[in-house]
């Protein structure tokens, strides 16, 4: 949603972010590079653009052959500084995104958090003897220089149609896309035509060193609780209380509508820290449903909700992955860079 009445403030914001980027571009502000391959997954806008599934895809791909690490800010945690996610961690100590990665992959790769990316990356690479590091959401962290930048942009709200904060949702001007080697149009519909792809490419106007790919969200065929799993087609038999604390729940709502029309949605802000009062409200809504009912949430929200013991048995989560057009070509670009 565009807020045109705030456009004068967007001009001031653009001036500030533009000067900052210029200082890095001309070398007045230092940008630290690494001998270890560093891949950054970021975007130009606030809100969800599919970064987390892309980070998962990259980490799963690279960890088959390389000692891989993922470093994020650890947004929403109640701690500061550098840390490594382990079996003693929780969303309160490392943030929900790092915890989501650990819950799914355990120790297949190293997951670290640090709000100061440069010292965090240095320590993580050295201490963990990493062969490749993936940065989650570091497009605007110009102090660290990634060798490969992947820019995510939502198909339903692409950066080339957006405007700077606070009039729009861009954290920096559209020209920031020039720093990316790969531009990934995310959350595309399954029936995306070649004609529509060409339209996006014509609007993006990729430079000679840039490649444009398209990806869509793919949902698991099961939903999972603490120790159970349920086929997605069985959701039709239940009244569903859907709990979301993510930036954009629309794709999940759309997918769920294919299986059930008996859905009550409770929407919380992105990275919401659930309170006891929230849980009381959730349980009140849950009790209003029919005899056959369940609570459904996202994989990211599950790591926060399951912190309440009495929710563990009641809550199911729905894992997602991404499907990329020309996936072999995309994977080859990634592995060639790391080599």
């Amino acid at each position: 949603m565009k807020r045109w009445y705030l456009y004068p403030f967007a001009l001031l914001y653009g001036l500030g972010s533009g000067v900052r980027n210029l200082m890095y571009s001309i070398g007045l502000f230092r940008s630290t590079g690494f001998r270890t391959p560093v891949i950054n997954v970021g975007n130009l806008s606030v809100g969800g653009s599919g970064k987390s599934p892309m980070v998962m895809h990259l980490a799963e791909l690279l960890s088959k052959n390389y000692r891989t690490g993922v470093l994020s800010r650890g947004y929403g945690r109640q701690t500061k500084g550098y840390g490594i996610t382990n079996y003693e961690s929780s969303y309160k100590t490392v943030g929900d995104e790092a915890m989501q990665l650990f819950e799914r992959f355990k120790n297949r790769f190293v997951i670290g958090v640090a709000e100061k990316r440069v010292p965090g990356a240095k320590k993580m690479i050295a201490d963990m003897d990493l062969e490749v590091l993936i940065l989650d959401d570091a497009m605007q962290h110009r102090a660290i220089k990634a060798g490969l930048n992947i820019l995510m942009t939502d198909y339903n709200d692409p950066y080339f149609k957006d405007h700077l904060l606070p009039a729009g949702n861009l954290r920096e001007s559209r020209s920031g896309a020039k720093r990316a080697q790969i531009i990934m149009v995310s959350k595309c519909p399954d029936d995306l035509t070649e004609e529509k792809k060409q339209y996006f490419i014509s609007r993006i106007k990729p430079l000679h060193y840039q490649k444009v790919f398209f990806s869509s969200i793919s949902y698991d065929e099961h939903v999972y609780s603490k120790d159970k799993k349920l086929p997605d087609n069985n959701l039709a038999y239940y009244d569903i209380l859907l709990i979301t604390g993510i930036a954009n729940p629309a794709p999940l709502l759309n997918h769920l509508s294919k299986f059930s029309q008996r859905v009550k949605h409770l929407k919380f802000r992105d990275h919401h820290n659930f309170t006891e009062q929230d849980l009381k409200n959730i349980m009140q809504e849950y009790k209003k449903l029919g005899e056959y009912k369940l609570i459904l949430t996202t994989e990211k929200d599950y790591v926060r909700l399951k912190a309440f013991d009495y929710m563990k048995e009641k809550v199911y989560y729905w894992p997602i992955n991404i499907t990329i057009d020309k996936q072999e070509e995309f994977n080859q670009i990634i592995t060639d860079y790391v080599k």
Side-chain angles (χ1 to χ4, degrees), residues 4 14 17 33 38 53-54 71 90 95 110 122-123 136 158-159 179 182 186 190 198 213 224 264 304 318:
W4 297 113
S17 63
V38 176
M54 175 56 67
L71 179 63
S90 73
V110 184
K122 287 180 177 178
K123 184 169 179 59
D136 183 6
Y159 73 87
R179 299 198 303 275
I182 292 175
S186 63
D190 294 334
Q198 289 306 313
F213 292 90
Y224 299 82
K264 170 71 175 180
R304 283 177 274 126
W318 209 340

Side-chain angles (χ1 to χ4, degrees), residues 165-234:
L165 289 166
N169 293 317
L170 293 183
R171 295 189 276 190
E172 61 172 301
S173 73
R174 301 171 189 177
S175 63
K178 294 178 181 178
R179 299 198 303 275
Q181 289 77 36
I182 292 175
I183 298 175
M184 180 67 69
V185 183
S186 63
K187 303 182 182 179
C188 297
D190 294 334
D191 58 352
L192 183 63
T193 64
E194 286 298 323
E195 182 181 11
K196 196 66 176 179
K197 289 180 183 180
Q198 289 306 313
Y199 163 75
F200 268 76
I201 292 171
S202 70
R203 293 296 305 273
I204 290 170
K205 297 183 177 68
L207 300 171
H208 69 276
Y209 55 85
Q210 295 180 313
K211 293 284 292 185
V212 179
F213 292 90
F214 298 84
S215 65
S216 58
I217 294 173
S218 59
Y219 287 83
D220 198 291
E221 293 182 350
H222 293 82
V223 296
Y224 299 82
S225 66
K226 178 187 174 184
D227 51 16
K228 300 176 184 176
K229 68 177 182 179
L230 184 70
D232 54 14
N233 54 17
N234 282 14

Side-chain angles (χ1 to χ4, degrees), residues 237-240 286-295:
Y237 302 113
Y238 293 86
D239 287 352
I240 297 171
Y286 179 70
K287 290 175 182 177
K288 295 177 184 177
L289 302 181
E291 181 180 358
Y292 298 100
K293 55 192 174 183
L294 61 81
I295 300 174

Side-chain angles (χ1 to χ4, degrees), residues 3-18 163-168 170-171:
R3 302 166 287 271
W4 297 113
Y5 59 93
L6 296 174
Y7 191 72
F9 299 99
L11 293 175
L12 294 175
Y13 179 89
L15 178 63
S17 63
H163 301 273
L164 284 166
L165 289 166
L170 293 183
R171 295 189 276 190

